[in-house]
Amino acid sequence: MHRQITKPQFKRAWGRRGPGEGEFRRPWGVAVDGQGHVYVTDHGNDRVQKYDAHGTLLGEWGLPGTEPGEFDGPRGIAVDGDGFVYVADSGNARIQKFNPYGILVRVWGGPGEAHGSFRNPWDVCVGPDQRIYVADRDNDRVQKFDADGGFIRAWGTAGHLASEFYGPVALATNRHGHVYVADFDNHRIQVFDREGTWLNSWGAFGTGEGEFHNPRGLAVGPDDLVYVVDHDNNRVQMFDLEGTYLASWGESGDAPGALNRPFGIAAAFDGTLYVADTFNHRVQQF
């Protein structure tokens, strides 16, 4: 029996290109905390911006640089159950942890291939057990840490088979602790348990239903739906937890609801969705 699905409808958008307050230069990652606050990595401006659910700017932090609290092309972002914010500081090959007001709490990582080191970390997410997962793109692996940055395990290697990656770029977890990985240049989603054991995969290159052209964003909603940002097809596709295609929305353009090479997506506790419409330099709410 097919599940009845209602496509998300456009609600509002905010942002435009620029370096000022409420402006973006390629918003990349987006995350929502338990109070409905929306955090956005402003990739080209090397900062994080914080909004309420209506798009009102509440604060921002970050400057270009290599010192703690500074950024070099921040990408993925996540918030844990205590409100701490984790940022994949890609150009500096590290993860930075902040409190909800942008005060730096911890930094870990550094360039390299050893456990706990990174080569271009693209995304970070928090599991239901408050473990931290990082998409270590150029090392073609996922790394798992505790909330203080203590290394737990890693899995993945370069390739096209199950458990292999060709550029893991986005992560999400479901309520069971399963880890969903956007395997960018393999044009697929792979699913693992919390120990890194392969469970499932779906997708192939293309423009049809359930096909992808460089998937770049992932979220699992409170409705147990998996949302995949299909970057070069300028759409978001919806699946059940097992990868059955359900629906999609979006088209190329800059009208409300249209997309221009989107990257990140986040699902709030009430099911509201936020999409980083990257090359339209805005965030859209559905």
Side-chain angles (χ1 to χ4, degrees):
M1 184 173 180
H2 291 290
R3 183 173 178 178
Q4 295 297 314
I5 295 298
T6 301
K7 290 185 181 181
Q9 299 298 308
F10 172 82
K11 292 182 180 179
R12 61 175 55 88
W14 66 85
R16 63 181 181 181
R17 183 180 176 89
E21 291 186 355
E23 297 179 333
F24 301 108
R25 288 180 58 226
R26 301 187 307 280
W28 199 289
V30 59
V32 186
D33 69 16
Q35 297 177 296
H37 300 137
V38 183
Y39 299 83
V40 184
T41 47
D42 188 4
H43 180 76
N45 285 321
D46 291 308
R47 64 185 177 185
V48 172
Q49 297 194 57
K50 180 180 179 179
Y51 296 86
D52 69 14
H54 301 287
T56 301
L57 182 66
L58 300 176
E60 63 177 70
W61 70 84
L63 293 168
T66 60
E67 295 299 316
E70 298 177 340
F71 299 114
D72 182 5
R75 289 191 164 102
I77 189 167
V79 185
D80 70 16
D82 296 319
F84 290 104
V85 181
Y86 301 80
V87 180
D89 185 11
S90 297
N92 287 321
R94 65 188 180 187
I95 302 299
Q96 298 202 64
K97 178 180 179 179
F98 301 87
N99 76 7
Y101 307 101
I103 303 302
L104 184 67
V105 174
R106 196 171 309 283
V107 180
W108 74 87
E113 300 178 2
H115 290 159
S117 298
F118 306 109
R119 292 174 60 226
N120 204 4
W122 266 48
D123 200 15
V124 57
C125 80
V126 182
D129 57 358
Q130 301 299 295
R131 299 306 194 189
I132 312 303
Y133 299 87
V134 179
D136 188 7
R137 175 177 174 158
D138 290 350
N139 281 324
D140 290 302
R141 65 185 178 187
V142 173
Q143 296 199 63
K144 180 178 180 178
F145 302 87
D146 64 28
D148 294 320
F151 175 81
I152 296 174
R153 64 175 49 83
W155 68 87
T157 188
H160 307 285
L161 302 177
S163 298
E164 298 178 341
F165 301 112
Y166 194 9
V169 296
L171 301 167
T173 59
N174 66 17
R175 68 185 68 196
H176 308 293
H178 297 161
V179 183
Y180 293 75
V181 184
D183 190 3
F184 183 72
D185 284 315
N186 281 325
H187 308 286
R188 66 183 177 183
I189 305 301
Q190 295 200 66
V191 189
F192 302 84
D193 70 15
R194 67 185 67 195
E195 309 301 322
T197 300
W198 183 89
L199 299 175
N200 190 19
S201 67
W202 72 84
F205 177 78
T207 60
E209 295 180 352
E211 296 178 333
F212 304 111
H213 188 178
N214 297 329
R216 286 209 184 188
L218 272 174
V220 178
D223 50 9
D224 283 337
L225 296 181
V226 181
Y227 299 88
V228 182
V229 176
D230 190 5
H231 175 76
D232 286 305
N233 284 325
N234 289 306
R235 64 185 179 183
V236 177
Q237 297 197 62
M238 302 163 59
F239 302 85
D240 67 17
L241 293 178
E242 286 71 47
T244 300
Y245 172 84
L246 300 172
S248 67
W249 82 91
E251 61 182 6
S252 180
D254 58 7
L259 301 166
N260 186 1
R261 290 176 289 167
F263 279 34
I265 187 169
F269 60 88
D270 63 355
T272 300
L273 298 170
Y274 299 87
V275 177
D277 188 8
T278 304
F279 284 87
N280 280 325
H281 308 283
R282 65 186 179 184
V283 173
Q284 297 202 64
Q285 182 190 76
F286 298 88

